[in-house]
Amino acid sequence: MKRKLIAAIGVAGIMIGAAACGGSDSKNNGAAGGSDAKELTVWLTVDAQKNWPELVKAADDAIVAKHPGLKINHEYYGWPDKNAKLDAVLATDKAPDVVEMGNSEMLSYSLKGAFAEVDPSKFDNSAAWLDGLKASVTYDGKTYGVPYYAGGRNAIWRKDIAADAGISATPKTYPELTADLDKIQAKQGDKFSAWYQPTRDWYAAMSFVYDAGGSIAKEDGGNFKANLSSPESVKGLTEFKNVVDKYMKGDKTKDESDRPIVYGQGKSGLVFSPAWEGANAALPENDKVGKLADKIESFVMPGPSGKAMPVFLGGSDLAVPVKSKAQGLAAEWINALTGTQGQKGLIAKGNLPNNKTDLAPLKSDPKAAVAATAAESSWFVPMAPGWGQIEKAQVLQTMLQNIGTGKQTVEAAAKDADAAIDKVINSK
């Protein structure tokens, strides 16, 4: 759903099980064999087709120049449709040679052997890949994809609402943030959410956990152990509950799926969300405030630790199906799109790059500074074999709902969540 919205709003959004079997242990130019193939089939999402077709063509031209006569076929899919089509074709001999994946989709395909192993040293800036994207292509010490581009999270607030409360600048520290929110809450009253923070939004809650030094799970010798009931994680969850209790005046059983719509209604001052949500809230069909786009401002969310809040880093990866007959050429094409030149083009289109080297200069660009700074500190879900079996992180959502509604204490809810996670996290 979020991907679909990104495609719909384009760059204005400031987006600054598989049936295949077996794996590949050989690595040649990033993937095994097929460098003399005559055709290459590339599956991308409609984001590329609508927003940066010239970058795709530039990658094509670069590879055809090296391999005269090569034919490159492109197919484009919407996010809701892609995986069903991929699952079906991976069971045949018609697998594409390159496929775009959401970074949160990589794990289940990697552990089932759907993608060929690649050599990261063959790809530009791989030593500096953003942490959240690097984690998404890494499983059991091996690399099964290449980060494409990133999308982070930041704070978005109503500067007009802040001004009404006597606030003239965005907060730089967590104490400043809570002091400002206290003023906004007092000014606007009990029916207004100074911070609209859906309780079941586990992406935001886990940012508090990681900021406090906790984690969803820890790895030890290849095995994972749930870690939400650790003192550090409980500290983060407790602060998340404090935010929900103090500033969230809406339904405490909701997730974040309709947050842009709620924010567009003008009943909240701040959200901590993917950057595109502010732009989506300001679309004519959602904006009930009037000229909302002129009234919102983004900033890096400060964490209680004194550092920037670590964020869940969304984004896309490119992978080579293990059944591809042109793995070597596929790796070359991926590097042409995601390498140094390709990243320049993606940045120009409003995306965050896949690596810290290209990210650094954006911190001094007023249009990209907030998103770039926020993306420097990120976390990702455990790359554990059983994580995908925790359907849509329902365990985390249930834990957070029980905490937010007062059904359980933080400690009890976290302990129950750990038990549920431990049952499946190491299963294959």
Side-chain angles (χ1 to χ4, degrees), residues 353 355-365 372 376:
N355 68 89
K356 295 177 182 178
T357 302
D358 289 325
L359 188 73
L362 298 181
K363 294 169 63 178
S364 59
D365 179 348
E376 280 190 311

Side-chain angles (χ1 to χ4, degrees), residues 242-366:
N242 290 340
V243 166
V244 171
D245 287 347
K246 199 170 185 180
Y247 306 119
M248 170 62 174
K249 305 304 178 180
D251 183 350
K252 290 184 170 62
T253 66
K254 292 186 69 173
D255 63 20
E256 72 281 11
S257 59
D258 65 348
R259 181 166 47 203
I261 296 174
V262 174
Y263 195 58
Q265 292 171 347
K267 298 179 180 179
S268 58
L270 176 141
V271 291
F272 176 36
S273 69
W276 60 264
E277 288 194 15
N280 193 264
L283 291 174
E285 61 266 32
N286 295 330
D287 182 6
K288 308 304 179 185
V289 175
K291 298 183 178 180
L292 180 60
D294 298 331
K295 298 173 182 177
I296 57 177
E297 184 174 10
S298 298
F299 59 93
V300 177
M301 176 64 78
S305 68
K307 300 178 181 178
M309 186 80 85
V311 298
F312 178 84
L313 199 63
S316 279
D317 302 320
L318 297 175
V320 180
V322 73
K323 286 193 172 184
S324 164
K325 298 179 178 65
Q327 292 183 19
L329 283 173
E332 290 185 44
W333 190 92
I334 289 173
N335 195 43
L337 184 64
T338 65
T340 301
Q341 288 303 118
Q343 289 300 314
K344 288 180 181 179
L346 288 165
I347 291 168
K349 292 294 183 178
N351 299 294
L352 289 177
N354 67 1
N355 68 89
K356 295 177 182 178
T357 302
D358 289 325
L359 188 73
L362 298 181
K363 294 169 63 178
S364 59
D365 179 348

Side-chain angles (χ1 to χ4, degrees), residues 79-425:
W79 286 101
D81 309 320
K82 172 180 64 68
N83 286 3
K85 294 180 182 296
L86 182 61
D87 291 348
V89 78
L90 285 175
T92 73
D93 61 355
K94 303 295 184 182
D97 303 297
V98 177
V99 62
E100 179 180 352
M101 304 293 296
N103 63 341
S104 61
E105 299 171 340
M106 285 292 295
L107 176 59
S108 61
Y109 286 85
S110 297
L111 68 89
K112 291 178 180 177
F115 297 143
E117 183 185 355
V118 300
D119 181 353
S121 69
K122 303 296 184 181
F123 298 90
D124 293 356
N125 290 313
S126 59
W129 282 343
L130 296 177
D131 296 339
L133 295 185
K134 180 179 179 180
S136 73
V137 298
T138 306
Y139 175 67
D140 198 22
K142 298 179 180 180
T143 304
Y144 291 98
V146 178
Y148 181 10
Y149 62 84
R153 282 168 164 75
N154 48 247
I156 304 170
W157 83 351
R158 290 271 303 277
K159 54 187 178 182
D160 58 326
I161 294 291
D164 285 345
I167 302 162
S168 59
T170 56
K172 300 300 186 290
T173 68
Y174 195 73
E176 287 178 5
L177 173 66
T178 54
D180 288 348
L181 290 172
D182 288 343
K183 293 176 184 178
I184 291 171
Q185 194 66 67
K187 179 73 174 180
Q188 296 295 325
D190 291 341
K191 293 185 179 181
F192 184 88
S193 294
W195 179 344
Y196 182 77
Q197 180 51 65
T199 309
R200 290 165 61 87
D201 177 11
W202 63 275
Y203 296 105
M206 293 304 105
S207 287
F208 279 87
V209 167
Y210 282 87
D211 179 73
S215 60
I216 297 172
K218 283 187 172 183
E219 182 180 9
D220 183 12
N223 287 316
F224 287 81
K225 178 72 175 174
N227 192 49
L228 291 168
S229 59
S230 69
E232 295 84 1
S233 295
V234 167
K235 180 180 178 181
L237 289 169
T238 299
E239 186 55 34
F240 178 76
K241 175 176 168 57
N242 290 340
V243 166
V244 171
D245 287 347
K246 199 170 185 180
Y247 306 119
M248 170 62 174
K249 305 304 178 180
D251 183 350
K252 290 184 170 62
T253 66
K254 292 186 69 173
D255 63 20
E256 72 281 11
S257 59
D258 65 348
R259 181 166 47 203
I261 296 174
V262 174
Y263 195 58
Q265 292 171 347
K267 298 179 180 179
S268 58
L270 176 141
V271 291
F272 176 36
S273 69
W276 60 264
E277 288 194 15
N280 193 264
L283 291 174
E285 61 266 32
N286 295 330
D287 182 6
K288 308 304 179 185
V289 175
K291 298 183 178 180
L292 180 60
D294 298 331
K295 298 173 182 177
I296 57 177
E297 184 174 10
S298 298
F299 59 93
V300 177
M301 176 64 78
S305 68
K307 300 178 181 178
M309 186 80 85
V311 298
F312 178 84
L313 199 63
S316 279
D317 302 320
L318 297 175
V320 180
V322 73
K323 286 193 172 184
S324 164
K325 298 179 178 65
Q327 292 183 19
L329 283 173
E332 290 185 44
W333 190 92
I334 289 173
N335 195 43
L337 184 64
T338 65
T340 301
Q341 288 303 118
Q343 289 300 314
K344 288 180 181 179
L346 288 165
I347 291 168
K349 292 294 183 178
N351 299 294
L352 289 177
N354 67 1
N355 68 89
K356 295 177 182 178
T357 302
D358 289 325
L359 188 73
L362 298 181
K363 294 169 63 178
S364 59
D365 179 348
K367 293 182 179 180
V370 169
T373 302
E376 280 190 311
S377 177
S378 61
W379 61 272
F380 198 65
V381 298
M383 291 297 283
W387 177 254
Q389 299 179 38
I390 305 172
E391 185 66 23
K392 295 183 179 178
Q394 187 175 2
V395 170
L396 299 182
Q397 291 181 324
T398 299
M399 174 189 71
L400 294 171
Q401 181 172 317
N402 289 344
I403 290 172
T405 59
K407 184 176 180 179
Q408 286 185 294
T409 65
V410 171
E411 291 81 1
K415 192 172 182 179
D416 285 352
D418 275 355
I421 291 172
D422 279 336
K423 285 183 180 179
V424 296
I425 196 167

